[in-house]
Amino acid sequence: MSDDDDRLRRLLGGDETAWLVERVHRRLEQGRPLSGTVTLTQASAAQRRAVELLLGRRAGSGGSVSVSLDDVDRMLRTSGVAPEGLREAVVRLRGPVRDLAVESATRAAAWQRAFAELDALVGRRPELSGWRSWLESTGLVRRLAPAAEDARPLLDRLTAVLDRLPSPGIPIGRLASETCGDAHALDEGRPLATLALSAARALGGRLYANDGGADARRAAWAAVGVHLDDLSSLVLCLGLPGDHHTPMGRVLKAAADAGEPCVLTLRQLRRHESPLTAGLVRVCENPVVVAAAADELGPSCPPLVCTGGRPSTAVWRLLDLLSSGGAAFTYHGDFDWGGVAIASAVYERFGFRPWRFDVSAYEAAPSSAPLTGRPCATPWDPELARAMARRAVRVEEELVIPDLLADLASAM
């Protein structure tokens, strides 16, 4: 150790001046200038004597002691103990100084790169923008993958999954295998599954955070066309004609003859390979319509299928079987932006005639409930979207059930 190092340690390297060195070190890390005064409240007698030795003068009286950083810097330079001043002295005592601003900028850039693919997708999918803000505000990604280098592959896989949603119908294991190269990547409890499920909830109009157990998880995935198994994806129908020679046909026939609603599983629908012949099929959004039709019309109810909100894989499969059998569709749903989005998905895939689901029906329906959400197009009646944006009220399907039942009765 040189004489200058020994002198420096005697002046600033002891326990009594450690507080001063720490304050200067913190300023250096933060990129702040080494000027002005620092104060130690409730200074001990030993700390006061150390400051007096450092500055070569009395440090005043009272419970606190103040030190001019400019004076210390000048003394270190002129004495030759640290020719480059206070910064040099602290580096010699404590080692290299971190640049926190640079480190912060580097971390921010790394996280920006980690989110780049996902943010590009969200830019193309504005319906995910609220969910993306929720991710940022909750810090969920950083809790699941604290380092940006770990988060980037996770978020890239998440982007690949979301790029396939909503799906017309796919098992979750196959979705995981095709997007991530790992059939178990979306298994419950995995970080990717946690993020993907929150996004599925966003796409399905649900709360982003986990809001229930296994049933809620199945419903959230089903709303975007992903099924966890062949028994959890369901569709509700009434009055669909069956047959005597297939298992599902016999189920449908028994339900239709009894005038009772029928719940079909995806397993049943996948095992039924022949088209279903039903003529004109009415499609509604809410199960309460099916229940009312069964109560009012019973076995006389014409074919009616319920999407139950956003169509599940089972709903799509049933509509596919009906379409391949030559069925035509007429559709009714909630007059809100969520209902319009569901109708648009059905219209894009099969087409339909509106069933009291056009601008005249909307304007005639009484309602004062505020319309919220993101507007979307109504390609079966472009004027409907403009009327909804202008009137800004929602009309739930339950409010017009008497009219829907009258239509079903007149078709008997």
Side-chain angles (χ1 to χ4, degrees):
M1 180 183 299
S2 68
D3 291 342
D4 286 341
D5 288 336
D6 184 57
R7 289 173 62 198
L8 177 61
R9 292 193 178 279
R10 280 188 279 110
L11 285 172
L12 279 174
D15 293 340
E16 295 77 12
T17 53
W19 68 273
L20 177 59
V21 174
E22 177 58 30
R23 299 274 187 93
V24 174
H25 188 264
R26 193 180 312 143
R27 286 196 178 203
L28 289 171
E29 286 185 331
Q30 296 170 347
R32 297 166 57 197
L34 300 185
S35 60
T37 299
V38 294
T39 299
L40 176 66
T41 59
Q42 297 181 339
S44 68
Q47 288 170 327
R48 184 179 300 279
R49 285 195 299 273
V51 168
E52 291 174 344
L53 176 64
L54 177 66
L55 297 177
R57 63 174 182 268
R58 286 182 56 81
S61 59
S64 64
V65 61
S66 296
V67 176
S68 166
L69 297 183
D70 299 280
D71 287 350
V72 175
D73 181 78
R74 188 179 308 109
M75 180 277 297
L76 291 170
R77 291 175 186 273
T78 57
S79 67
V81 172
E84 296 181 17
L86 185 52
R87 179 187 179 91
E88 177 200 343
V90 170
V91 170
R92 283 163 56 186
L93 291 170
R94 292 284 303 269
V97 175
R98 296 166 54 196
D99 190 327
L100 297 183
V102 170
E103 290 181 12
S104 177
T106 300
R107 282 195 302 272
W111 277 106
Q112 187 175 20
R113 290 192 297 271
F115 274 97
E117 292 295 324
L118 180 62
D119 284 341
L121 174 70
V122 173
R124 302 190 300 270
R125 304 276 298 276
E127 66 271 26
L128 287 170
S129 59
W131 166 78
R132 174 66 179 89
S133 298
W134 174 81
L135 277 187
E136 195 68 32
S137 64
T138 60
L140 178 58
V141 173
R142 287 169 171 81
R143 293 201 303 273
L144 295 171
E149 55 268 26
D150 297 326
R152 184 170 183 176
L154 173 64
L155 293 172
D156 287 350
R157 289 194 296 270
L158 176 63
T159 302
V161 171
L162 297 187
D163 205 31
R164 296 280 297 274
L165 301 181
S167 166
I170 189 172
I172 195 167
R174 179 179 168 190
L175 175 64
S177 179
E178 291 181 359
T179 56
C180 308
D182 176 3
H184 298 286
L186 292 171
D187 285 358
E188 186 175 9
R190 290 205 174 184
L192 178 61
T194 299
L195 294 171
L197 182 57
S198 69
R201 291 193 183 99
L203 292 171
R206 291 170 164 81
L207 296 175
Y208 309 146
N210 187 0
D211 58 354
D215 288 343
R217 178 171 173 263
R218 288 191 186 94
W221 279 118
V224 292
V226 178
H227 56 90
L228 307 189
D229 56 70
D230 284 350
L231 298 178
S232 63
S233 184
L234 307 172
V235 57
L236 175 66
C237 58
L238 176 65
L240 290 184
D243 58 56
H244 292 289
H245 56 274
T246 65
M248 193 182 79
R250 289 190 287 271
V251 170
L252 286 173
K253 180 168 177 50
D257 289 346
E260 288 297 327
C262 180
V263 176
L264 299 173
T265 68
L266 181 59
R267 178 184 175 88
Q268 291 171 298
L269 290 158
R270 287 190 182 280
R271 292 189 171 204
H272 187 94
E273 297 180 355
S274 57
L276 293 175
T277 303
L280 179 65
V281 177
R282 287 163 176 80
V283 182
C284 64
E285 182 181 341
N286 297 285
V288 66
V289 178
V290 178
D295 291 342
E296 185 81 14
L297 305 174
S300 301
C301 185
L304 178 63
V305 173
C306 178
T307 68
R310 189 174 289 273
S312 67
T313 304
V315 172
W316 291 125
R317 174 63 176 168
L318 177 56
L319 295 180
D320 279 336
L321 289 172
L322 290 165
S323 179
S324 62
F329 300 105
T330 183
Y331 186 93
H332 188 276
D334 290 333
F335 284 110
D336 58 24
W337 297 124
V340 165
I342 294 168
S344 295
V346 176
Y347 186 83
E348 181 179 348
R349 187 157 172 171
F350 299 106
F352 60 70
R353 298 200 314 269
W355 174 23
R356 294 184 183 271
F357 204 55
D358 53 19
V359 64
S360 60
Y362 173 70
E363 292 180 335
S367 177
S368 59
L371 177 65
T372 59
R374 183 183 297 275
C376 48
T378 52
W380 61 93
D381 183 359
E383 185 58 31
L384 172 59
R386 291 190 281 271
M388 290 176 63
R390 181 173 59 252
R391 187 182 176 197
V393 299
R394 72 177 189 272
V395 180
E396 295 175 340
E397 200 169 31
E398 291 84 346
L399 296 177
V400 295
I401 283 180
D403 295 329
L404 301 180
L405 293 179
D407 293 341
L408 292 169
S410 67
M412 292 165 49

